[in-house]
Every structure is written in C-alpha cells, then in structure tokens.
Amino acid sequence: MLQRPAAGSIAGLSPTPEQLGRRARRAWLLFAGVALAIIAAALYGAGLYGRAVEVDALAAQGRTDANLKVALLRAVLENPRALPLLLSEDQQVHDALAARSAAAIDVLNRKLEGLVSGTKASVLYVTGTNGLAVASSNWREPTSFVGNDYGFRAYFSRAMQTGTAEYFALGNVSKRPGLYISRRVGSASAPLGVVVVKMEFDQLEADWHEANRPAYVSDEHGVVLITSVPSWRFMTTAPLAGATLAEIRDSQQFGDAPLVPLPIVRPETLSADVSIVHAITPGGSDGEYLRLSTPVASTPWRLDYLVPAEAPIAAAQREMRLLALGVIGPLIGLAAYLLWRRQSAQMRIAAEQATRAELERRVVERTEDLSRARDRLQAEITDHRSTEAKLQVVQQELVQANRLAILGQVAAGVAHEINQPVATIRAYADNARVFLGRKQTAPAEENLGAIAALTERIGTITEELKTFARKGRTAAEPVELRGVIEGAVVLLRSRFAGRLDALEITLPPPPLKVMGNRVRLEQVLINLFQNALEALNGRDGARVEVSVEERDGVVLSVSDNGPGIPPAILKSLFTPFNTSKEKGLGLGLVISKDIVADYGGRIEVASGAEGTRFTIHLAKAA
C-alpha cells in the first residue's frame, strides 16, 4: 500500500504558508507597536527639546529687554534725585524756612515752579519741621500743596531722622501715585525743614505699554508700584502678611487699594530669575508667559517682565516634531520595506514546498482513503462489541456493590448505635431488680424512668436511621453543649463503672450553645469517650481530659494519655471498617465524622506515644 510522505519531512525544512502568514501578522503587529512607540517617544522628546530651546531663546531676549527697561527706569530716577540735594543747600530755601516772610516764600514758590518746568519732576515742595508745606511748585493750582500737613508721611519722618528718604505712595491731595524723594534742610541738630520732589512714571508706563508685554516694578513687600497694566497697580506678587498689611493701611501709603495678589498662577521655576507662569491680562485672556525678574539697582525694587510664551513655544514644538517625523518617517518606511521583502521571500519558498507536498499527497490519496475506511469500519464494530460487554459487567458489579453497601451500613450502624443504650438499659434493669428486692422503690422508679428515657432514645435513633434511609438529615438547632456532655457520661456510666474516674471534664457554662442535634452529638462524644477509656484499660494513672474553648466557634477536645493510635490505623482512621479493636466494626469514628460534618464542623486527631487528642470544631449558636 502506498504511504503518504511524512509531514515532518517537509514541515521540518520550512514553515507552511499558513504558519508564515500568522508569523507575518504577529510581526507586523509588533512592528506597528514598536513604530508607534518610537514615534510617540520622538514626538514627546522633540516637544520637550523644542520647548527648552524656545524658552532659552525667549529668556535671552527677555533678559535683554528687561535690562533695557531697568536702565531706562534708572535714567528716569537719576535727574529728580539731584534736585532735593541741590535745593537743600540753596540759600533761598534756607531764607524762606528761617525767616518765613511772605516775600521769601513767594520767591521760593516761583523758583520751585520754574525748576519743575525744566525737569521731569511732577511737583516740588518744601515743608517746615512740623511737616506743613511752606512752598510748592503748584502754588498757583487749586490742588496746591501749600499749607497741607505731611508730617505723617514716611518720607518726611525718615528725612528728618536720616537726612534723606525715598518713598513711593499715592498722593493724599492729587490721588496720583509717584515716588517721593526727600532731603532734610539744615543739620540733624538744627533742622529747618524738608525738600520733597515727587516724580510720576506716566510716560514710562506708556512706553512699556506700547511693547504689549506686561512689565511691573514691585517694592520690598511685593506691592506693584509701576506697571504697564494700569489695573495691576497696587496689587501684590504674593499675599501680604497680616502685620505688613496693617502697617501699610495705617500709613495710607496706597490709599484704599485692595492690595490683592496679581492674577498670576501656577509658576514653574526654571532658574533663579526665570519662571513660566499663567497670567490673566485685562480682557480675561489666560496665557502662558515667561517671567524674568531682575533687581533695580540703587532701589529695593524688582522689575518683573512677562514675555508671551504660549504661541512661540507651541510653534517651536510643532517645528521640532515635524523635523523628528521627517527623520524618523523614512527610517520606519525603510524598515517596513525590508521586513516586507523578507516575508515575501519566505512566503514564496513556502508556497513552492507546499505545492510539491500537495502533488505527492494526491498520488496516494485515493488508495489510502479506501484502506482507512475499511480499517475504521472494522475498528468501530470491535469497539461497539467490547463496549457493550463492559457495560453489562460494570452494571452487574454496581448493583452487587450497592446491595452490599446498604446491607453493611444498616446492619453495622444499627448494631453499633443501639448497643450502648441497650447495655445501659440492662444495667438499669439489674439495678432496679436489686432495689425492688431491697424494697427500695424510689431508686427503682428512678431506674425505670431512666430505662424509659433510654428506650425513647433508641426510638429516636431508629427514627434517625429511617431518616438516613430517606437521604435526609436532622436539621441543626441550638443545643446546650453542657447537657450533651453530661448525657454522654450518663450513657457510659453503666458500662465503665469504676473507670469513669479517669474522666476529667471541664464543663462549659450553661449558656454556651452549638448548632446540631443533641442525640447525634451525644453519639459523637460516646464514641470518643469509649475509645479513650478502652485505650486506657489496665493502665496506671489513666486520664481522659475533656475541655471546651471558644475560638472561631466552639472547640471541644478529648485527650487521653494512652499508648496512641498505630500509624497504619491513623493513616486511614476515618475509613469504614478500619479498626484496631478485636471486636470493633470500624464505624464509630466514621459516623462521628459524618455527624459533625452535617452541622458544619470537623474532627481533627493528633496521636503519639504520649497519648491521643481528638478536637471537634462546632459552630456556635447565635
């Protein structure tokens, strides 16, 4: 008969087209995953790089602009600073403050008026030692400072104390902010008054505003003094402490300004003087800015300059990402082409080998099909006959095994479970006969009552056996464990008279109850007590300890100091008909285990040369 070529002779040389197709799909899925991961990583890295480069560029340009603004601010400050110094040494100022004559004051008013028109100062005025303005450059205007009391102003008190002071505040008459530069006239021991020049920064703020980039100058407390955004004036770079805020309020330095923080949030510090912030500019637009901070020399001020960064950074990131795609895209395309070319070559080779194998298979296919059909028919006939014979044998064996099991369980179970109450009844009957012979009716009646109770118990056992026969189980109910233990001892008293002294029972408190049935639980304890007492028969110092604990339910332990259970018996202790007793049936522990299991418990045993311990775990009644 022709034989089909072995599949391994071809498959071992090269994979089949189907296998190559599955491998190709997995390879392309893996390639796509790797490519996407590389593209995502490249785009992410390019975005970070583009952001960093653009931030550096913006920071460099911003530093230049900020330094120019600081230089312009210093230039604006330098001219007015010289005026108080010159006027404090001017003879006309000394004369006016010393003589306080109308003529001298008039000359001084006109001089101050002429000086203001030739400088960038807002107003010039001279006060006496009491803080009252004696002369002012605006003496002709309705808002003239002449006669006003400026003794409460810090620039006046500091100039009187130290000789000179600079103080930015809101004018209490003009209500316009400006920098007050003051200088004491005369010596510290004999002061004549104070010369004050006020300068405003309207033109400077207008020049900054045209750049359309927010800039602001804040003092040592973080209060914004000069700004290109008018609504930001007298706001703060950070919340003011309570003491600082109260001090500023008391000095009336900024009038009724709310002194609330600027609308600048989420700062991301890049360096000591550079950070990225989100600012809300007038109009409610929220944007990302690069904030550059630089100190203003010769002042306690600091200039913060905000450079719009959101659009430039986004553009730089797009450019870098497009550049990354321009580099990575061709490389991924080349890798894809090489992978496709390799897979195409493998598929072509596999297709040629598959064609050859198909031709060889068709040569023997028809003859092989006929032989296979004949063999299959013969095998099916043989299997059918064999299966039918085995089914008949198994059926007969199951019927016989079932009959023997039922017979053994009923006969042995009834004999084992009723034997104890019957023995006790006989003992009570013998005792009653003795008591009657002695004319002691009370004990005899007591024994007859016990006999009646035991017969009732036998009836209960037989009723339970009928329940078992119906495949039913006695429902669990709360049972007082103390009564179960005492009942078991009563049933054993007649059989083990004189040996019950070995029982050392620690009874549980009466309220302790477990889930089960009293009769069936007594069966369990009778089996365990009986086994323990029989194991101790004839031994000196025999002792059986019975104790109860509450832990994860109720645990009842029965321990003896007998010789222990032989290892061969212990290994299959709960197997039916497994016993070491000469007349034992080997059913007591099996039945006990089944009873405990019926009520959700379990029995554990530990045995050695020092004795044996049976531990019963029962469910505690609620």
Side-chain angles (χ1 to χ4, degrees), residues 206-253:
D207 295 339
W208 287 1
H209 183 72
E210 290 178 0
N212 200 26
R213 292 185 174 184
Y216 55 93
V217 176
S218 56
D219 63 9
E220 66 272 20
H221 298 304
V223 179
V224 176
L225 307 177
I226 307 167
T227 173
S228 63
V229 183
S231 60
W232 287 6
R233 181 177 288 109
F234 297 154
M235 299 183 79
T236 62
T237 57
L240 295 177
T244 304
L245 182 61
E247 180 181 352
I248 294 175
R249 293 289 189 204
D250 294 338
S251 68
Q252 300 182 14
Q253 181 179 3

Side-chain angles (χ1 to χ4, degrees), residues 397-584:
E397 290 178 351
L398 286 175
V399 171
Q400 182 65 20
N402 187 45
R403 186 182 300 118
L404 291 175
I406 294 173
L407 179 61
Q409 289 176 359
V410 171
V414 169
H416 186 82
E417 298 301 328
I418 296 180
N419 186 52
Q420 299 298 333
V422 169
T424 306
I425 288 171
R426 180 169 183 175
Y428 276 129
D430 291 341
N431 291 339
R433 185 182 296 110
V434 173
F435 287 135
L436 289 174
R438 297 177 181 176
K439 308 279 187 206
Q440 296 177 351
T441 58
E445 289 180 357
E446 182 180 347
N447 283 359
L448 291 175
I451 291 172
L454 288 172
T455 56
E456 183 179 350
R457 171 173 172 74
I458 293 173
T460 302
I461 293 173
T462 57
E463 183 62 29
E464 286 213 15
L465 288 175
K466 287 192 289 184
T467 302
F468 294 154
R470 292 193 298 267
K471 298 183 179 180
R473 293 183 179 179
T474 305
E477 59 184 5
V479 176
E480 188 179 303
L481 187 57
R482 183 187 187 104
V484 173
I485 298 174
E486 291 174 341
V489 173
V490 168
L491 290 175
L492 288 174
R493 183 172 292 130
S494 61
R495 179 174 178 184
F496 292 97
R499 283 191 282 166
L500 289 181
D501 294 340
L503 284 175
E504 297 179 7
I505 302 176
T506 303
L507 291 172
L512 181 61
K513 294 184 178 182
V514 297
M515 296 303 297
N517 175 269
R518 172 166 181 153
V519 174
R520 301 189 74 190
L521 292 179
E522 283 181 2
Q523 292 177 237
V524 175
L525 294 185
I526 288 171
N527 283 323
L528 296 182
F529 291 170
Q530 176 178 280
N531 289 343
L533 292 171
E534 289 177 350
L536 296 173
N537 189 24
R539 293 177 66 90
D540 295 332
R543 187 177 71 257
V544 178
E545 296 180 357
V546 181
S547 61
V548 178
E549 295 181 65
E550 293 185 56
R551 67 169 190 272
D552 295 333
V554 177
V555 179
L556 188 148
S557 300
V558 179
S559 305
D560 65 63
N561 59 348
I565 301 172
I569 300 297
L570 184 63
K571 190 180 300 182
S572 54
L573 189 63
F574 295 102
T575 302
F577 309 111
N578 177 44
T579 180
S580 60
K581 301 176 185 178
E582 189 174 334
K583 297 182 179 180

